[in-house]
Amino acid sequence: MEVFDFAAIASAAALSTLAAAWWMLRTNDQAHAQQPATAQDVGASVSFLFEEDMLHHASETAARLYQLIPGQDDWDGVRSHFLNRFPSLPESPRDAPPGSTVVAARDLGDAATLRLTRDGIYTRVSMHDNGGRGYVPPSRLKALYQELEDLKRASDTTPHAVWQLDSEGKVSWHNLAYADLYERLHGSPPDAAVPVFEIRSDFDATNGSQRVSTQIAEDGQKDWYDVSAVSVADITIFHAIDVNAVVKSEIAQRNFVQTLAKTFAQLSIGLAIFDRNGRLALFNPALIDLTDLPAEFLSGRPNLMSFFDRIRESRRMPEPKNYASWRQEIADVISAATDGRYEETWTLETGQTYRVNGRPHPDGAIAFLIEDISAEISLTRNFRAELELGQSLMDTLDDAVVVFSSAGVVTFCNLAYRELWGVDPDNSFADVTVADALLGWKSLCVDGPDWTALSDFVLTFGDRTPWTLPLDVKDGPALICTVTHIASGATVVRFSDQSAKQTAVSDRSRAV
């Protein structure tokens, strides 16, 4: 026999077999359609065959009930018809494990199940009613009782009060925490007609939350609860969470902020605190006085850039030489303040001087302190001018003068002293002590003076009697050293040229 003849015969046999099978299935469906259908019959006759996600075949009853067309409808379309009754139906056939899987109905009294049989790319779904609605198999009934016990145990051990109201506003269920709370607040067992809290009339039960305060009769203290509600059909479920710790923390924080505000209001230093978003969060009255910024502007919580822009416009900071780089300079200021490195002195056109500091604060906040130091700068300048005047005055003296502090350190000397001994303590990199000075003096003088007594005189505390000491300089004139105690424990040492004084006296005698 030829190969082609054999293939033709096999093909004809296969077509005949398929036609016979189709006729038998059609006859069986017609027979079922002619008989009264029970719930079990309908359930058994609902079946689908999927190839991947596409509906490949549906029984006649399934196609008629759900208006489905193989080749056009897919898994999502079929799943939408069953999702309300069978919520655990997988989102895709590929999510079902290979082999047979049973999906139970949502309703406790609904014994229907969906059986998913997955084999490669094909998935068959068939519904089984198992005796119709109202019948629950013993195994499923046991599982439901176990689940009920688990839910009851979970609700009774939660520390938060939970209760639900029916459509008439009566408490239809509550947990143990609700009963305990009700007895503490009302002194009686729960009353279904009177909920534990009186809920406001404008309370949004779909997504609402309100804070409720109650007063305990035992100690007169107030308890605070956050009450939230969720509506499911005609039932409203309430949850009450104890927020006493939160309320106490909020009160403590509010009191702390008020205390800080009162303290800052008394400061003469302007204070501006910016939060982590760069917005002005806190300022004191001194800031208004120092920057001339209106309170309305500061109360509007400006950002850092706007704050410094307004200060520049009010001419309360040095005018930038290059306005084009102004923004970059302010960005550098903010960056330095974030690191705690910003500290500058602003000299204004009005003659005032401000000291400005930027300091980082927790949670990304930044604080700027602006202080008017005009009086301090003026005092420093005057003090410096007086020192320069005193120095100039002492430099006009012929006698060499040096002053030691109570610790024996040189604090002052005049021009004659520097020229006499060839030293300049002001330009020394380290402090010049009385011991250092004595070494220089001894090297230029003839031995003989009691240098130890002079050193002890400088370093001794208390009142001391002035005394003199003659000095014989090797390459210079004879000197008289006068040692005198002055204020603050300091000592002044003066070197006088004895020969010059005698010559001056003789000149005055001859003149007379």
Side-chain angles (χ1 to χ4, degrees), residues 230-281:
V230 178
S231 293
V232 180
D234 58 347
I235 299 296
T236 304
I237 304 171
F238 289 88
H239 299 260
I241 301 176
D242 186 343
V243 292
N244 284 316
V246 176
V247 172
K248 290 180 180 179
S249 177
E250 292 174 351
I251 294 174
Q253 182 181 18
R254 192 181 308 118
N255 293 337
F256 179 69
V257 172
Q258 291 177 354
T259 302
L260 285 181
K262 293 178 182 178
T263 303
F264 294 154
Q266 307 300 323
L267 292 178
S268 59
I269 301 175
L271 177 67
I273 298 179
F274 295 84
D275 60 21
R276 62 186 304 176
N277 298 318
R279 292 283 180 179
L280 183 62

Side-chain angles (χ1 to χ4, degrees), residues 417-429:
Y417 177 85
R418 291 192 291 271
E419 292 178 347
L420 175 62
W421 302 110
V423 295
D424 189 0
D426 294 338
N427 292 328
S428 176
F429 67 90

Side-chain angles (χ1 to χ4, degrees), residues 184-186 213-224:
R184 285 200 301 116
L185 297 181
H186 300 279
S213 65
T214 61
Q215 188 166 358
I216 305 298
E218 299 175 356
D219 52 9
Q221 298 274 341
K222 274 190 175 182
D223 279 355
W224 293 87

Side-chain angles (χ1 to χ4, degrees), residues 441 444-447 449 451 469-479:
W441 301 344
L444 298 177
C445 294
V446 178
D447 294 339
W451 300 109
L469 177 70
L471 298 178
D472 188 7
V473 181
K474 294 178 180 179
D475 297 326
L479 301 176

Side-chain angles (χ1 to χ4, degrees), residues 162-470:
V162 184
W163 70 100
Q164 64 182 26
L165 301 183
D166 57 19
S167 58
E168 298 179 356
K170 294 184 178 180
V171 179
S172 58
W173 175 88
H174 61 78
N175 66 346
L176 288 181
Y178 174 89
D180 295 339
L181 178 62
Y182 198 101
E183 291 184 2
R184 285 200 301 116
L185 297 181
H186 300 279
S188 63
D191 185 352
V194 182
V196 63
F197 295 125
E198 183 179 352
I199 306 300
R200 295 195 309 263
S201 58
D202 60 344
F203 187 73
D204 184 8
T206 59
N207 188 20
S209 178
Q210 65 170 286
R211 183 161 292 181
V212 179
S213 65
T214 61
Q215 188 166 358
I216 305 298
E218 299 175 356
D219 52 9
Q221 298 274 341
K222 274 190 175 182
D223 279 355
W224 293 87
Y225 296 89
D226 276 349
V227 181
S228 59
V230 178
S231 293
V232 180
D234 58 347
I235 299 296
T236 304
I237 304 171
F238 289 88
H239 299 260
I241 301 176
D242 186 343
V243 292
N244 284 316
V246 176
V247 172
K248 290 180 180 179
S249 177
E250 292 174 351
I251 294 174
Q253 182 181 18
R254 192 181 308 118
N255 293 337
F256 179 69
V257 172
Q258 291 177 354
T259 302
L260 285 181
K262 293 178 182 178
T263 303
F264 294 154
Q266 307 300 323
L267 292 178
S268 59
I269 301 175
L271 177 67
I273 298 179
F274 295 84
D275 60 21
R276 62 186 304 176
N277 298 318
R279 292 283 180 179
L280 183 62
L282 182 64
F283 65 93
N284 64 344
L287 184 71
I288 300 175
D289 298 335
L290 293 172
T291 60
D292 285 344
L293 296 181
E296 295 79 7
F297 170 74
L298 297 175
S299 300
R301 302 191 62 197
N303 58 30
L304 279 162
M305 287 294 184
S306 301
F307 176 76
F308 282 105
D309 274 339
R310 288 296 294 267
I311 291 181
R312 184 191 60 80
E313 292 173 4
S314 64
R315 310 183 77 84
R316 285 295 178 175
M317 69 181 305
E319 184 68 22
K321 297 179 180 179
N322 184 5
Y323 185 76
S325 62
W326 165 246
R327 289 282 174 172
Q328 182 58 42
E329 291 179 8
I330 292 302
D332 294 341
V333 168
I334 296 171
S335 176
T338 303
D339 298 335
R341 297 179 288 104
Y342 183 71
E343 183 173 349
E344 284 191 1
T345 300
W346 292 352
T347 301
L348 309 184
E349 298 175 355
T350 59
Q352 293 176 287
T353 305
Y354 288 172
R355 180 189 292 123
V356 184
N357 291 292
R359 294 290 182 266
H361 275 242
D363 198 26
I366 303 175
F368 284 93
L369 292 85
I370 302 177
E371 181 182 4
D372 187 353
I373 59 172
S374 302
E376 179 183 339
I377 293 297
S378 177
L379 181 62
T380 302
R381 289 172 180 170
N382 292 337
F383 180 69
R384 188 174 300 156
E386 291 180 0
L387 287 179
E388 292 176 355
L389 178 62
Q391 181 71 48
S392 300
L393 177 62
M394 296 300 293
D395 286 343
T396 62
L397 298 178
D398 294 332
D399 292 347
V401 178
V402 62
V403 178
F404 295 95
S405 68
S406 59
V409 178
V410 174
T411 59
F412 174 82
C413 66
N414 65 352
L415 179 60
Y417 177 85
R418 291 192 291 271
E419 292 178 347
L420 175 62
W421 302 110
V423 295
D424 189 0
D426 294 338
N427 292 328
S428 176
F429 67 90
D431 291 337
V432 178
T433 64
V434 64
D436 299 328
L438 287 176
L439 288 176
W441 301 344
K442 290 169 63 175
S443 64
L444 298 177
C445 294
V446 178
D447 294 339
D450 188 0
W451 300 109
T452 304
L454 193 152
S455 176
D456 293 341
F457 187 93
V458 172
L459 298 176
T460 301
F461 293 94
D463 295 335
R464 289 156 289 177
T465 303
W467 59 284
T468 59
L469 177 70

